[in-house]
Amino acid sequence: MGTRVAARRIRVLLVKTGLDGHDRGVLVVAKALSRAGMEVIYGGLHLRPVQIAKMAAEESVDVVGLSSLSDNHRALVPRIIQELKTVGLDDVLVLLGGFIQDEDVPVMKAAGVAEVFGVGTRLEDIATYIQTHVRAG
Amino acid sequence: MFDKGFLEQLRQRQAAWTAAHQGSFETEVKKEFVSEAGVVTRRLYTPLDLADQGVDYFEDVGFPGDFPFTRGLSPVGYRAGLWKIAQYSGQSTPEECNALWRDLAAAGLNTVYAAYDLPTQLGYDPDHPMAEGEVGRTGVSLVSLRDWEIAFDGIDLGKTMVSTVCNAPGALVIAMNLLTAQRQGVDLKTLQGSSQNDILKEYTSRGNVIFPPEPSMRLVVDTLAYCSSVAPNFYPITVCSVHQSEFGANHVHEVAFALADGIAYVESAVNRGIDVDVIGPGIMWTTSHDHHAFFHEIAKLRAMRRLWAKIMRGRFKARKPESMMCRLYSSVGGTSLMKEQYLNNIARSALAALAGALAGAQRIDLRTYDEQWGIPTKDAEITNIRCQQIVGYECGVGETVDPLAGSYYVEWLTNEMEGRFAAEIEKVDQMGGTLRAIENGYIKRTMLEDAYKYQLGVETGEIPRVGHNMFRQENDQSRPVRVYRADPSVEQRRIEAVKELRRTRHDREVSRALKGLRAAAAEPATADNNLMPAIIEAVQAYATIGEMCDVLRDVWGEFREPKVF
């Protein structure tokens, strides 16, 4: 995957997939990315794929970070990626974090997720990954 | 507690001891041993520390079974029998859960601590578009009385207690529990068991909310008032601190925010004209007691018991001792466990069981060794039950009541914790109470700061985690032999089951009952207008959680969370 050039400070939309409300992880990531100099928008809970895509388009983000804990990602992540394409966000960097079974990682990547950050990931590694793949303009 | 002459002598000897061992003190590996909540642990505790805090045996420690219950709620503790063994469990469908819970009961489980799937927790039936991809994933889908009949078929609710983790529609779930027990022939006056039904912590820590805070509180108060006369031995609410802890709150914030929630429930009932001694005895607590900072966990729970007793007697003028008792349903959270070298988690669970026992918990619930890999397997759940049995029966931990009482360290820490809880509650009070502190984002923001600090602590190695940030195994290949995963066909099977239910029940009875529920919900909350009878009728007619929640959503609206980030 090539490096995407952001027009300004890197903008990241972080959001929980589906119905799960455990947002500790995603909020801690939000804090870390913000301290790493990125513009972070936290989407909140219980959003459907179409709402996530709409928000990503409205906020013209460079990165969409999805957080899944309830094992809903197999059903929802491909749908979210499709909705992102529908609103014209073909080249947005999609990341997935949370509780992801090892066997799901290749499935998620095949669906268009650039990287999966599972249990035990260091905050710094997420920030570095984004900075390597999206260059602030 | 100690006479002046003795304390003076001790002060002198301690000073001499300190002077004599300066060299040894320099070998200490850290300059300061400080907890996540900022409590600094001293090198040594002696009676002087208790004297300096003004700890008084009769006022602050006392006897087991007596106010302020620091040493426990019962004068005989576990000498009259172990705590109740619980295990958080729930897999996919009522049928699968029935098989699982029968096996766990046979292994010695006293309390089915039922884990629900997310659609049920959010008031959506399996065929609702919002439920897509979530049905039966995080727990069981139990949406109607019929599902309960299947899930608890052959499990005597008079012997095995049920505790349900379902908060926003908690009142509906309680109705299902009561009706299932009644149909099994259990006298509701003797029915034990509990429901989580603590909506306030959902707004800040777990996110499974449906309605705005006010009608949500109304549902909780209704269950407390209703059960006090219908099922007086059933605990309709367990106010939680475990989820605040899982969100990342430190020990002090965790308990202080839980106590503030408890205060809000009691206040809400009292403001509706309900006597504090009617609802007080129905309150239980779900606290956390993982193996980290072992003594802090024990002191934390002793302090919590003491402070709640004082709050109920002092602030709310409760008269019955049962209203002042802080009953501990103590749980461990999954974040205390590690994915790497997963079998180490069994040691962590056993230590946590010991912490719960030393704190005098009424029920204990542990997380499984495979928790970081997926929904627990039955094997892992049975291992947890065995962990509790080994601690309970083989260690002799319950042979004397509150064995750590009188430890200079534990009593000092208990006192220190209580003071810190009280200070934090005072802050919430000054903000206008817990509802305001939820609405203005204070509680969640405070806990998020703690969570961030914790994460950095683990990443820098300041907070030690064996196998994770120390003693890591290169090329660690260890993984559980089996990892549970919901069968992908579950969603479809559950959709068919709910459609089948709708085909076979009496439509007219359902609509009549839902109409009754709507009318009662539209009326203002008073001491006399309790929604439980209307809910019971709807559940009895086999209305589903989704249908009942739709009615309530329609009347009350839905909650929109405040921005904390």
Side-chain angles (χ1 to χ4, degrees):
Chain A
M1 186 174 298
T3 307
R4 189 191 147 95
V5 181
R8 47 198 146 35
R9 262 171 74 187
I10 299 171
R11 285 171 74 80
V12 185
L13 171 66
L14 290 178
V15 71
K16 292 280 300 176
T17 55
L19 298 181
D20 177 49
H22 291 94
D23 51 3
R24 168 188 181 165
V26 74
L27 286 170
V28 167
V29 171
K31 234 175 162 53
L33 297 185
S34 159
R35 291 201 183 167
M38 299 174 210
E39 198 95 47
V40 180
I41 299 115
Y42 174 57
L45 304 178
H46 310 163
L47 298 176
R48 302 302 299 156
V50 62
Q51 293 170 294
I52 295 172
K54 190 166 165 258
M55 201 180 274
E58 277 170 4
E59 297 284 355
S60 57
V61 295
D62 309 295
V63 183
V64 175
L66 305 169
S67 162
S68 167
L69 187 80
S70 70
D71 204 21
N72 61 23
H73 49 272
R74 266 186 187 246
L76 297 181
V77 169
R79 288 264 315 275
I80 294 167
I81 291 174
Q82 202 182 339
E83 296 292 346
L84 286 169
K85 285 186 182 145
T86 309
V87 295
L89 294 176
D90 296 273
D91 61 342
V92 74
L93 188 71
V94 179
L95 305 175
L96 175 63
F99 202 101
I100 315 295
Q101 306 265 13
D102 294 350
E103 73 216 45
D104 287 357
V105 174
V107 181
M108 291 294 106
K109 287 194 172 171
V113 170
E115 194 53 86
V116 176
F117 298 101
V119 175
T121 301
R122 297 167 62 88
L123 296 170
E124 204 184 296
D125 293 343
I126 304 173
T128 308
Y129 183 91
I130 295 174
Q131 278 152 350
T132 315
H133 290 81
V134 185
R135 211 174 59 236
Chain B
M1 203 150 72
F2 305 98
D3 75 52
K4 276 199 178 126
F6 166 75
L7 288 173
E8 192 40 48
Q9 196 187 359
L10 181 59
R11 203 177 296 278
Q12 285 171 16
R13 288 224 198 166
Q14 200 167 315
W17 176 84
T18 305
H21 294 287
Q22 281 305 329
S24 303
F25 302 155
E26 276 154 33
T27 64
E28 293 177 352
V29 295
K30 283 198 243 178
K31 271 209 152 42
E32 209 173 43
F33 290 77
V34 53
S35 80
E36 288 157 39
V39 178
V40 177
T41 305
R42 298 174 190 170
R43 176 179 302 119
L44 179 78
Y45 290 88
T46 68
L48 281 178
D49 297 280
L50 303 187
D52 290 347
Q53 277 181 335
V55 173
D56 177 291
Y57 186 85
F58 296 111
E59 284 291 314
D60 302 314
V61 185
F63 292 97
D66 285 356
F67 185 89
F69 306 105
T70 313
R71 302 201 64 178
L73 304 179
S74 151
V76 289
Y78 305 132
R79 287 168 69 99
L82 282 197
W83 58 87
K84 299 289 183 224
I85 296 176
Q87 176 62 46
Y88 190 41
S89 56
Q91 294 177 350
S92 300
T93 62
E95 292 81 3
E96 279 171 84
C97 266
N98 183 251
L100 172 72
W101 290 336
R102 279 174 186 239
D103 288 345
L104 296 184
L109 186 82
N110 308 115
T111 305
V112 168
Y113 191 18
Y116 273 62
D117 72 351
L118 288 164
T120 316
Q121 293 196 46
L122 286 159
Y124 298 117
D125 286 344
D127 57 346
H128 193 285
M130 286 296 278
E132 186 195 346
E134 311 267 14
V135 179
R137 298 255 171 203
T138 62
V140 62
S141 162
L142 289 185
V143 301
S144 71
L145 183 58
R146 181 151 313 158
D147 291 340
W148 269 73
E149 288 162 355
I150 297 166
F152 293 98
D153 179 35
I155 299 171
D156 182 355
L157 296 185
K159 290 199 183 103
T160 303
M161 292 187 278
V162 184
S163 181
T164 43
V165 181
C166 195
N167 297 276
L172 318 183
V173 172
I174 290 171
M176 291 182 193
N177 193 349
L178 299 184
L179 284 166
T180 309
Q182 208 167 28
R183 285 173 184 204
Q184 283 189 0
V186 180
D187 174 7
L188 291 188
K189 295 273 183 224
T190 66
L191 179 73
Q192 297 190 41
S194 61
S195 157
Q196 202 164 76
N197 197 24
D198 170 10
I199 194 61
L200 290 177
K201 65 98 203 294
E202 291 290 338
Y203 293 103
T204 56
S205 314
R206 203 164 164 268
N208 294 340
V209 296
I210 305 175
F211 317 114
E214 243 172 75
S216 294
M217 291 284 281
R218 169 182 180 180
L219 280 175
V220 173
V221 172
D222 281 350
T223 59
L224 275 163
Y226 182 81
C227 290
S228 74
S229 60
V230 174
N233 288 305
F234 182 88
Y235 298 104
I237 185 170
T238 48
V239 188
C240 298
S241 81
V242 67
H243 297 109
Q244 288 87 333
S245 168
E246 284 299 278
F247 187 84
N250 68 36
H251 286 147
V252 170
H253 291 138
E254 165 209 335
V255 170
F257 293 152
L259 288 170
D261 289 350
I263 289 170
Y265 293 124
V266 177
E267 221 160 48
S268 171
V270 170
N271 290 345
R272 256 170 76 175
I274 300 168
D275 189 311
V276 61
D277 283 315
V278 167
I279 53 106
I283 301 173
M284 193 162 195
W285 298 80
T286 299
T287 49
S288 98
H289 69 274
D290 62 40
H291 69 289
H292 305 144
F294 191 76
F295 292 101
H296 285 244
E297 293 288 45
I298 296 160
K300 178 182 88 182
L301 297 183
R302 294 174 90 245
M304 183 177 178
R305 215 158 32 218
R306 180 153 89 203
L307 187 53
W308 183 246
K310 287 184 191 169
I311 289 168
M312 286 301 272
R313 191 164 83 170
R315 192 190 279 229
F316 294 111
K317 311 287 174 242
R319 303 166 308 279
K320 280 191 193 167
E322 292 77 22
S323 302
M324 305 169 202
M325 290 180 178
C326 183
R327 299 161 195 87
L328 302 179
Y329 187 149
S330 214
S331 270
V332 180
T335 56
S336 67
L337 304 180
M338 289 290 128
K339 191 173 184 188
E340 301 94 342
Q341 301 168 43
Y342 69 96
L343 285 175
N344 295 342
N345 291 330
I346 299 174
R348 295 185 173 105
S349 287
L351 279 171
L354 185 60
L358 289 171
Q362 275 61 50
R363 293 189 211 169
I364 295 179
D365 157 62
L366 308 172
R367 286 292 86 81
T368 59
Y369 59 72
D370 56 4
E371 174 89 16
Q372 291 292 342
W373 291 84
I375 296 296
T377 54
K378 189 175 76 186
D379 288 348
E381 287 174 344
I382 289 180
T383 302
N384 263 8
I385 293 171
R386 298 289 175 253
C387 265
Q388 293 207 40
Q389 290 161 335
I390 289 166
V391 168
Y393 293 109
E394 296 186 10
C395 291
V397 66
E399 287 174 10
T400 186
V401 188
D402 190 27
L404 290 187
S407 148
Y408 310 124
Y409 176 38
V410 170
E411 294 300 356
W412 175 87
L413 198 51
T414 301
N415 216 50
E416 179 70 26
M417 289 271 185
E418 187 195 347
R420 288 176 184 239
F421 299 160
E424 191 57 49
I425 291 169
E426 168 78 28
K427 227 189 263 178
V428 172
D429 276 344
Q430 278 175 359
M431 236 169 256
T434 208
L435 283 181
R436 293 290 92 73
I438 289 170
E439 282 162 2
N440 68 25
Y442 170 76
I443 290 179
K444 195 153 179 174
R445 249 192 307 271
T446 304
M447 297 194 301
L448 182 56
E449 269 310 316
D450 292 345
Y452 187 65
K453 217 169 105 190
Y454 171 87
Q455 181 63 25
L456 295 182
V458 171
E459 291 187 12
T460 56
E462 210 174 296
I463 298 173
R465 292 293 175 262
V466 172
H468 179 72
N469 63 12
M470 65 200 304
F471 307 111
R472 261 188 102 91
Q473 220 160 290
E474 286 308 315
N475 303 316
D476 181 8
Q477 297 292 320
S478 64
R479 57 172 294 145
V481 183
R482 281 190 311 115
V483 175
Y484 178 84
R485 210 144 186 211
D487 184 323
S489 71
V490 162
E491 194 151 319
Q492 202 46 46
R493 279 192 279 143
R494 289 297 298 149
I495 289 173
E496 276 155 27
V498 81
K499 285 188 172 154
E500 168 72 16
L501 170 77
R502 293 200 193 107
R503 264 198 305 274
T504 51
R505 63 188 184 180
H506 294 286
D507 281 344
R508 209 181 311 152
E509 272 179 46
V510 178
S511 351
R512 193 184 44 79
L514 289 176
K515 232 167 127 184
L517 178 61
R518 179 182 294 272
E523 289 293 316
T526 60
D528 303 319
N529 180 25
N530 191 312
L531 291 183
M532 281 307 281
I535 291 171
I536 295 269
E537 271 202 39
V539 169
Q540 210 157 15
Y542 293 95
T544 64
I545 283 211
E547 291 161 341
M548 291 183 279
C549 285
D550 276 348
V551 164
L552 299 176
R553 260 189 275 260
D554 212 33
V555 180
W556 294 335
E558 289 182 74
F559 177 69
R560 294 274 159 257
E561 56 181 330
K563 281 237 171 293
V564 291
F565 184 85

